[in-house]
């Protein structure tokens, strides 16, 4: 049957049959303690089926990402987390607008029969507008326009339908049927307002929104060869770069194939263009490359130097974002770990270059949690088949098996 919800929808309670009342338990004492609880920390992020889903916030040392039904903002220096908790099911997609006079918007889309897209202020973490009613099954891609006033979304229906909303009043500006093949990324141009790109299984397309209408243009692969487009970005008004499953970066100019560069040994999973022109890519090979705008020269960070290659850690890069000053990278790996790195130190393989921001389980659902009776630690197990023991105070990983 068709799955119409995420972990929130599918969760069951297999632990109920294993719960045993404490010795000398008395029902008369069953009174809730006079206190409240609040969320303090979330381990890891959604990595196993998403890409390019960690974003630096402008003018800050903060980044945003998501796990389960929560959007998370983290201070990369202190590790302090803030939360946006207005979704009712698992988040599948995220996009961040440009900085508009000190205001930066974050959009998140969820899975579900009638999914909601929430747009919120990155600074206050308060909802600006909620969008619902058009998509079915889920929203797996989001992208802001140059001015942040429009948001493009891609649905999980059979047509992978495209919607463009106003972020000011929440009205649907335009909509269209998308590609029948799965859409794996979307991006808005930071050079031309209303221009977007979507790419995925054997296709790349651009979309131009003007005067309440949307125009679709297929981008032919040409001599680049038909591939799966996994990530994309505009480098100027006319030029589009696409990271592909075969490890190449393909360059299109005016929707015509121009050239390609062998970038990674394995798929190019994520790609971002810095406002200054540099291009950062991350791949299945565990490498992060920081390219000049012409893709002729690069510096490289090898994540295998920082992500221990064992059952609980992976070097495979699924998300990458670069700071405004180009001095820092945030890298998300397949094992649901997020690292903050100093670029120059990391390129020199200095062990002090990387800081583990968060780590977690990396596949499916979490099924078990238990606190130690005397120590400040708790243990978790999940669908990834791994046991992890965490420090309550530092939130760091104490042990694993």
């Amino acid at each position: 049957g068709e799955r119409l919800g995420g972990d929130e929808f599918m969760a069951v309670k297999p632990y109920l049959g294993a719960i045993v009342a404490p010795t000398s338990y008395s029902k008369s004492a069953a009174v809730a303690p006079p206190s409240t609880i609040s969320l303090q920390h979330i381990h890891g992020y959604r990595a196993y089926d998403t890409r390019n889903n960690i974003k630096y916030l402008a003018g800050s040392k903060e980044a945003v990402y998501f796990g389960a039904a929560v959007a998370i903002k983290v201070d990369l220096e202190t590790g302090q987390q803030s939360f946006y908790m207005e979704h009712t099911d698992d988040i599948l997609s995220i996009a961040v607008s440009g900085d508009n006079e000190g205001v930066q918007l974050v959009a998140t889309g969820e899975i579900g029969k009638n999914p909601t897209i929430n747009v919120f202020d990155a600074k206050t973490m308060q909802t600006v507008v909620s969008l619902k009613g058009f998509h079915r099954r889920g929203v797996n891609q989001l992208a802001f326009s140059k001015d942040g006033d429009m948001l493009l979304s891609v649905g999980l229906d059979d047509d992978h339908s495209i919607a463009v909303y106003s972020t000011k009043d929440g009205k649907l500006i335009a909509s269209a049927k998308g590609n029948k093949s799965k859409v794996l990324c979307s991006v808005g141009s930071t050079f031309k307002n209303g221009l977007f790109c979507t790419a995925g299984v054997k296709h790349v397309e651009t979309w131009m929104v003007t005067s309440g209408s949307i125009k679709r243009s297929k981008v032919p692969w040409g001599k680049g060869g038909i591939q799966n487009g996994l990530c994309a970005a505009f480098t100027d008004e006319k030029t589009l770069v696409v990271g592909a499953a075969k490890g190449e970066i393909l360059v299109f100019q005016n929707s015509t194939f121009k050239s390609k560069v062998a970038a990674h040994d394995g798929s190019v999973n994520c790609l971002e263009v810095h406002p200054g022109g540099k291009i950062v890519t991350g791949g299945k090979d565990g490498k992060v490359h920081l390219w000049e705008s012409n893709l002729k020269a690069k510096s490289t960070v090898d994540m295998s130097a920082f992500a221990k290659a064992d059952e609980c850690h992976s070097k495979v890069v699924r998300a990458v974002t670069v700071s405004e000053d180009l001095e820092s990278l945030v890298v998300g790996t397949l094992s649901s770990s997020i690292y903050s790195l100093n670029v120059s130190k990391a390129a020199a393989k200095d062990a002090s270059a990387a800081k583990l921001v968060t780590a977690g389980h990396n596949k499916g659902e979490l099924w078990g949690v238990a606190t130690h009776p005397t120590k400040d630690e708790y243990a978790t197990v999940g669908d990834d088949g791994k046991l992890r023991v965490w420090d309550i105070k530092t939130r760091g990983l104490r042990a694993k098996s």
Side-chain angles (χ1 to χ4, degrees), residues 17-345:
I19 293 176
V20 178
T23 304
S24 302
Y25 172 71
S26 171
K27 279 192 174 182
S28 62
V31 178
S35 62
T36 58
I37 60 173
S38 61
L39 183 60
Q40 296 293 309
H41 189 82
I42 292 178
H43 290 284
Y45 81 111
R46 187 166 183 142
Y48 70 98
D49 63 350
T50 56
R51 301 179 184 87
N52 247 22
N53 57 336
I54 305 173
K55 303 293 181 182
Y56 249 112
L57 294 178
S60 76
K61 295 186 182 298
E62 297 174 321
V64 290
Y65 54 97
F66 58 86
V70 182
I72 305 155
K73 179 173 70 173
V74 63
D75 185 311
L76 296 165
E77 292 187 333
T78 67
Q80 185 69 37
Q81 296 179 349
S82 304
F83 309 103
Y84 180 82
M85 302 175 66
E86 298 303 316
H87 282 280
T88 58
D89 216 324
D90 289 358
I91 298 173
L92 297 180
S93 52
I94 191 168
V96 177
S97 75
D99 184 17
N100 185 6
E101 297 181 351
V103 177
Q104 195 165 22
L105 300 177
V106 180
T108 45
E110 66 185 21
I111 196 171
K113 185 177 181 180
N114 298 294
T116 297
I117 301 167
N118 285 322
V119 180
F120 60 94
D121 186 301
K123 186 175 293 184
T124 66
M125 303 291 277
Q126 297 298 308
T127 302
V128 174
V129 66
S130 290
L131 313 169
K132 190 172 184 177
F134 178 81
H135 289 295
R136 298 292 181 266
R137 302 181 187 170
V139 178
N140 74 325
Q141 300 297 332
L142 292 167
F144 280 100
S145 61
K146 177 186 175 183
D147 61 8
D149 289 347
M150 291 184 284
L151 180 70
L152 178 139
S153 56
V154 182
L156 286 178
D157 57 288
D158 292 342
D159 293 318
H160 300 110
S161 297
I162 305 289
V164 179
Y165 290 95
S166 165
T167 58
K168 289 187 174 296
D169 57 20
K171 291 182 178 179
L172 182 65
I173 296 172
S175 63
K177 289 184 177 181
N179 200 287
K180 281 287 188 179
S181 297
K182 190 171 184 178
V183 180
L184 301 174
C185 71
S186 67
V187 65
S189 171
T190 56
F191 303 92
K192 187 174 184 179
N193 201 44
L195 178 61
F196 298 90
C197 169
T198 57
V201 177
K202 298 182 179 180
H203 73 274
V204 178
E205 296 173 332
T206 59
W207 306 82
M208 188 66 213
V209 182
T210 52
S211 303
S213 64
I214 185 168
K215 181 182 178 182
R216 172 187 188 176
S217 299
K218 294 185 177 182
V219 179
W221 292 99
K223 293 183 179 180
I226 297 175
Q227 300 194 46
N228 293 341
L230 305 183
C231 48
F234 293 93
T235 60
D236 57 42
E237 275 199 27
K238 299 178 180 179
T239 308
L240 175 70
V241 291
V242 177
K246 295 180 181 179
E248 298 169 328
I249 299 174
L250 290 86
V251 182
F252 300 89
Q253 206 161 58
N254 292 320
S255 295
T256 301
F257 172 77
K258 181 182 179 183
S259 62
K260 63 181 178 181
V261 175
H264 290 271
D265 183 12
S267 57
V268 183
N269 287 333
C270 45
L271 182 154
E272 183 177 273
V273 174
H274 184 269
K278 288 200 174 185
I279 301 167
V280 60
T281 61
K284 187 177 181 180
D285 57 3
K287 304 287 183 25
V288 174
H289 298 315
L290 196 60
W291 307 78
E292 296 298 329
S293 57
N294 59 9
L295 293 172
K296 296 297 184 182
K298 66 180 185 295
S299 58
T300 298
V301 174
D302 187 347
M303 289 305 297
S304 64
F306 311 106
K308 298 176 182 178
D310 59 27
E311 297 86 351
C312 291
H313 294 86
S314 171
K315 69 175 184 178
V316 176
V317 179
R318 298 287 287 187
V320 66
T321 184
V322 64
S323 62
E324 287 183 328
D325 59 11
L326 291 168
E327 292 182 359
S328 301
L329 289 169
V330 178
V331 178
T333 67
L334 185 60
S335 55
S336 194
S337 300
I338 298 177
Y339 298 84
S340 175
L341 301 102
N342 176 282
V343 173
S344 57
K345 286 185 178 181

